[in-house]
Amino acid sequence: MGELVDDVMALTGRHMRHILRVPEKLIGVTIAPVVMVLIFGYLFGSAMTVPGNGNYREYIMAGIFTMVMFSAIGTSAAGVADDLKNGLVDRFRSLPMSRYAVLLGRTVSDLAMTALSCVVMAAVGLLIGWRAHHGLLKTLAGFGLLLLLGFTMCWLGALIGLVVRSPEAVNTIASLMTMPFAFLSNSFVPLDGLPRWMQIMAEWNPISAVVSGCRELWGNPSTTVSDALPAQHPVLTALLTCGVLLAVVAPLSSRAYNRAAAH
Amino acid sequence: MAIEAEGLRKRYGDTEVLKGVDLSVPEGTVLGVLGPNGAGKTTTVRILATLLPPDDGRATVAGHDVVEQPMEVRRRIGLAGQYAAVDERLTGRENLTLIGRLYRLGRAGARKRAGELLERFELTHAADRETKTYSGGMRRRLDLAASLLAEPAVLFLDEPTTGLDLTSRMTLWSMVREQVDAGVTVLLTTQYLEEADHLADRIAVIDKGQVIADGTPDELKRKVGGERLEVSLADASGAAEALRMLERVSVGPAVTADDGRTLTVPVASGIGAIAEAAAVLRDRGVEVTDFAMRRPSLDDVFLSLTGQADGAETIEKQEVTA
Ligand SMILES: Nc1ncnc2c1ncn2[C@@H]1O[C@H](COP(=O)(O)OP(=O)(O)O)[C@@H](O)[C@H]1O
Ligand SMILES: [Mg+2]
């Protein structure tokens, strides 16, 4: 266990160096989320009415946070595909270390980046009028949900990177696969207008669950009207859906890693 | 035996890539696995380095079964794959320190060992530059250094010099030699007969997933024919005398080509035979238009071992000024 932690730390150090040396990456995790907050907060804000006449900027923040967590898929996928391509995965696999170390090193450091994004976005959110109303613990619990989603997405990204392998193709494939998740959710639009079967899918979508969970924990306006379990217990649903997804994706990634071949 | 493989088989879909490969490498020796592109060299190395499970057959490396005890094997091997595995965004030193830490040398231990290896592999001047600025030869050296961090007992080198210029190739050869002198067992794959000849104690020739010949470089060259001196005369009339002269330095029967003025004699390798042949021809005033050493290439090896090649004899030619 101690050895696993050492390995993960060594690999995380490696990824942090990448971030420092590739300024685009740092921009990706800081400036880009800020731009998203501003675009959604100001550009689209005027065109939307929030159910119950809630504060629009409070309403959208949870959605923007989850979108950024979601984009970790592409980051992790690209990182893993790069390592495969340049033979580093073969080198790592020839070392006497746990097969989880490399994937954990990747997902933990990508998670750290998404956490940094969260901090930056929260600051900008506060500036434009977003507030959490239920105290520090619940506020942090909301961010906990977001990070759980982010971590799950990092593992999903690692899996995609290992399966797709080509760094050029990985981004396209990742966004194609994830687009339906992102849009079939309650991030930015209420679900009432959708056909029932789509509503059900959208409600059980981990993204929706996390969005609703955060809105509940932060006391932000919410759009849920259904009496289904996901709508009534969004935090529980978020934990459940992310947990199940993680429990499926992590072993699959580890299996794919074990069989990975660069060429 | 440091490496012992029996009946290794691997198939991808419908194609059987390895059809029962047997290898054995005694401790402290070098086995050259010689074969053309697609022969199954990399697949063999990946199985022996625990990266790929065989469909059938078994293998032990450094005393441990590659399938049953992969961790024990990994503790004792170094691998330099066909493509140099370096992190382009890290410096040479950071690359080595990272791998050293993953080998559990500890932070300080890894840093110290990285410094030593950078020195030994003549990379100290570039140690703190990002490796994306490195040349192909430097990458290869760094990759080799990384494979040696934990002082492995068995070293796998998959085409270590493919794509390198002659100077880098020779540097790498001498670095591999150093390891062998220090007692490391090496399995190296190559497409160059010359490389196998230079580094290996024994050579296994592999083609289409099978070992088709196995022996010392000398045994192999005896089968294939070693270096030959080819002399073209200005005039066919002097051929008989020139042939008699050249037979003094030859190690086998000399041949006159159909044109009557091109003579080929097998000679011992090295500059001595060339110098002597040149001297006798000059002393007798034989007029020579072309004077060249020809050494058997991989194609020649395959031609003589399998009897199949493109038909035309393709040989590497080394011009020597007459
Ligand atoms: N992952 C793979 N999937 C399908 N075919 C493969 C795979 N890896 C190697 N091969 C095929 O196996 C054969 C042997 O490959 P390889 O061991 O890389 O040969 P070499 O290293 O001697 O050039 C080639 O025909 C190659 O195309
Ligand atoms: Mg190969």
Side-chain angles (χ1 to χ4, degrees), chain A residues 47-196:
Chain A
M48 279 278 297
T49 41
V50 179
N53 284 326
N55 176 329
Y56 172 74
R57 297 211 180 109
E58 288 204 351
Y59 171 72
I60 51 142
M61 277 307 286
I64 302 173
F65 276 120
T66 46
M67 290 304 288
V68 170
M69 295 300 106
F70 208 66
S71 66
I73 294 184
T75 317
S76 294
V80 169
D82 269 343
D83 285 357
L84 264 180
K85 187 184 173 190
N86 59 27
L88 280 168
V89 167
D90 273 2
R91 154 119 304 137
F92 291 146
R93 286 184 58 223
S94 77
L95 301 179
M97 61 178 185
S98 153
R99 58 176 166 163
Y100 278 100
V102 169
L103 292 173
L104 267 174
R106 168 67 56 195
T107 50
V108 165
S109 37
D110 285 349
L111 183 67
M113 286 304 111
T114 59
L116 176 63
S117 304
C118 277
V119 171
V120 175
M121 285 193 300
V124 177
L126 287 172
L127 284 177
I128 67 166
W130 166 73
R131 294 287 180 274
H133 303 280
H134 294 330
L136 183 64
L137 270 187
K138 285 198 170 178
T139 306
L140 291 179
F143 284 106
L145 277 190
L146 285 172
L147 292 182
L148 175 63
L149 176 70
F151 195 51
T152 308
M153 294 303 120
C154 289
W155 278 95
L156 183 58
L159 179 60
I160 293 174
L162 287 166
V163 172
V164 176
R165 301 199 293 200
S166 144
E168 293 77 25
V170 93
N171 254 316
T172 320
I173 305 266
S175 42
L176 270 181
M177 282 184 58
T178 55
M179 209 80 94
F181 273 103
F183 287 104
L184 205 53
S185 77
N186 60 357
S187 299
F188 303 109
V189 287
L191 299 180
D192 350 11
L194 298 175
R196 186 64 199 132

Side-chain angles (χ1 to χ4, degrees), chain B residues 122-313:
Chain B
E122 293 160 24
L123 289 167
T124 308
H125 65 286
D128 298 306
R129 270 193 357 230
E130 283 183 44
T131 54
K132 66 175 178 211
T133 65
Y134 282 22
S135 69
M138 290 163 77
R139 272 164 203 251
R140 276 285 172 196
R141 261 140 59 201
L142 187 67
D143 195 43
L144 184 56
S147 71
L148 293 172
L149 272 159
E151 305 187 8
V154 177
L155 186 58
F156 294 103
L157 305 174
D158 195 3
E159 299 197 20
T161 66
T162 299
L164 295 190
D165 59 45
L166 190 64
T167 325
S168 310
R169 181 172 293 174
M170 308 249 268
T171 314
L172 219 96
W173 283 354
S174 74
M175 286 164 178
V176 173
R177 267 266 150 246
E178 264 178 47
Q179 294 308 312
V180 178
D181 293 343
V184 177
T185 306
V186 177
L187 186 152
L188 119 149
T189 76
T190 182
Q191 299 195 34
Y192 308 115
L193 181 61
E194 192 189 358
E195 181 159 276
D197 184 20
H198 193 93
L199 286 174
D201 299 304
R202 293 188 72 83
I203 297 177
V205 182
I206 180 171
D207 185 35
K208 302 192 182 81
Q210 272 175 317
V211 177
I212 57 170
D214 176 15
T216 65
D218 280 341
E219 285 167 358
L220 200 66
K221 277 192 288 185
R222 223 168 291 141
K223 253 186 215 167
V224 179
E227 295 183 6
R228 281 158 297 166
L229 179 64
E230 199 178 281
V231 180
S232 299
L233 305 175
D235 178 0
S237 62
E241 193 189 2
L243 199 64
R244 212 154 24 77
M245 299 287 98
L246 290 174
E247 267 169 356
R248 283 200 217 155
V249 297
S250 77
V251 294
V255 187
T256 312
D258 291 342
D259 64 5
R261 55 184 196 85
T262 306
L263 315 173
T264 306
V265 287
V267 293
S269 52
I271 196 82
I274 302 173
E276 202 180 330
V280 290
L281 290 172
R282 192 191 50 201
D283 290 351
R284 293 299 162 114
V286 180
E287 205 180 325
V288 170
T289 56
D290 193 24
F291 184 93
M293 282 299 283
R294 297 184 176 217
R295 47 184 50 170
S297 69
L298 187 57
D299 291 336
D300 297 332
V301 174
F302 278 91
L303 187 68
S304 57
L305 289 178
T306 64
Q308 45 175 292
D310 309 331
E313 210 178 338

Side-chain angles (χ1 to χ4, degrees), chain A residues 3 6-7 9-11 14 17-18 21-22 86-88 90-97 260-261 263, chain B residues 46 51 71 74-75 79 83-85 87 89-90 94 98-99 101-104 107 130 143 146-147:
Chain A
E3 292 187 335
D6 281 351
D7 293 345
M9 273 171 50
L11 289 161
R14 163 185 177 233
R17 289 205 164 89
H18 286 182
R21 284 177 197 161
V22 191
N86 59 27
L88 280 168
D90 273 2
R91 154 119 304 137
F92 291 146
R93 286 184 58 223
S94 77
L95 301 179
M97 61 178 185
H263 297 275
Chain B
R46 291 176 62 84
L51 299 183
M71 277 300 173
R74 286 173 202 161
R75 274 187 241 284
L79 168 67
Y83 305 91
D87 187 333
R89 293 287 177 187
L90 300 187
E94 287 167 344
L98 171 69
I99 304 296
R101 281 185 68 186
L102 297 175
Y103 266 122
R104 311 262 153 68
R107 248 176 230 261
E130 283 183 44
D143 195 43
S147 71

